[in-house]
Amino acid sequence: MSNGPRPPGPTPGFLVWRLANKWRVAVDRALAPLGLTHAQYALVASLYGMQRAGERPSQRRLADHTGLEALYVSKLARALETAGLIGRTRDPRDPRAVQLALTERGEVVTRQAITVVQELHQQLLEPLGGLDAPRTRTFTDELRTLLDAPLAPSVPHDESTQGTTP
């Protein structure tokens, strides 16, 4: 038996990617009976919260809030409008901007979806003690720290960076 260097374990990036995919699949499955995907849920739940705060956000504002690309938000919004869950109207102050609002049916479905996702999050976070546990709060704070850190501009590939791992 060799006592040489241990092979490296999974990187934090790989683990975050795996966890994000695991949670996305779980949320997709949980929301399927309501006719929503995880991405659609992110949009309607964010819109629900913003509306409750008195805001009628534009697609751009919702894209910034959710971290989704504006083009993707537009695509999701069109699908949600077709499903009768949101309304899209031109912003009277900016004819290029589209404002979004949940329909009555959209509010009902969103409230149901929020309950489903909260129950799922409780289950997914049980290994840390549940949704309100100190370990979960610490985990959430660490994720916020990583999400709030600005990305450095990308470095062009040249021979001095070839073969190096960041």
Side-chain angles (χ1 to χ4, degrees):
M1 281 219 300
S2 167
N3 285 337
R6 283 182 39 204
T11 64
F14 179 73
L15 294 173
V16 167
W17 178 74
R18 289 277 317 270
L19 183 61
N21 281 317
K22 177 182 179 178
W23 283 32
R24 182 190 50 77
V25 168
V27 173
D28 278 343
R29 286 180 182 152
L31 293 175
L34 295 174
L36 293 173
T37 65
H38 193 195
Q40 290 172 329
Y41 170 76
L43 200 81
V44 295
S46 295
L47 187 53
Y48 180 79
M50 294 168 104
Q51 278 184 203
R52 290 189 60 175
E55 195 174 340
R56 182 158 184 168
S58 67
Q59 285 184 175
R60 163 58 63 194
R61 169 81 177 94
L62 202 52
D64 292 343
H65 179 80
T66 60
L68 296 170
E69 293 292 327
L71 195 58
Y72 190 43
V73 168
S74 177
K75 179 182 170 185
L76 290 170
R78 282 193 301 274
L80 291 164
E81 181 181 41
T82 299
L85 300 179
I86 68 167
R88 297 167 68 233
T89 56
R90 291 276 171 214
D91 185 335
R93 296 161 299 178
D94 181 356
R96 297 166 299 163
V98 175
Q99 289 180 316
L100 303 175
L102 289 168
T103 63
E104 244 180 81
R105 181 169 171 265
E107 283 193 33
V108 169
V109 169
T110 300
R111 281 195 301 274
Q112 291 171 335
I114 288 170
T115 299
V116 166
V117 170
Q118 284 176 337
E119 289 170 2
L120 178 62
H121 283 171
Q122 180 66 31
Q123 177 188 342
L124 292 170
L125 290 164
E126 200 55 47
L128 298 181
L131 202 51
D132 298 319
R135 284 182 69 194
T136 300
R137 283 193 293 280
T138 299
F139 177 62
T140 302
D141 291 344
E142 298 290 359
L143 290 172
R144 266 198 198 100
T145 298
L146 293 173
L147 286 169
D148 290 346
L151 290 176
S154 59
V155 178
H157 291 288
D158 64 25
E159 289 181 24
S160 68
T161 61
Q162 290 277 319
T164 61
T165 305

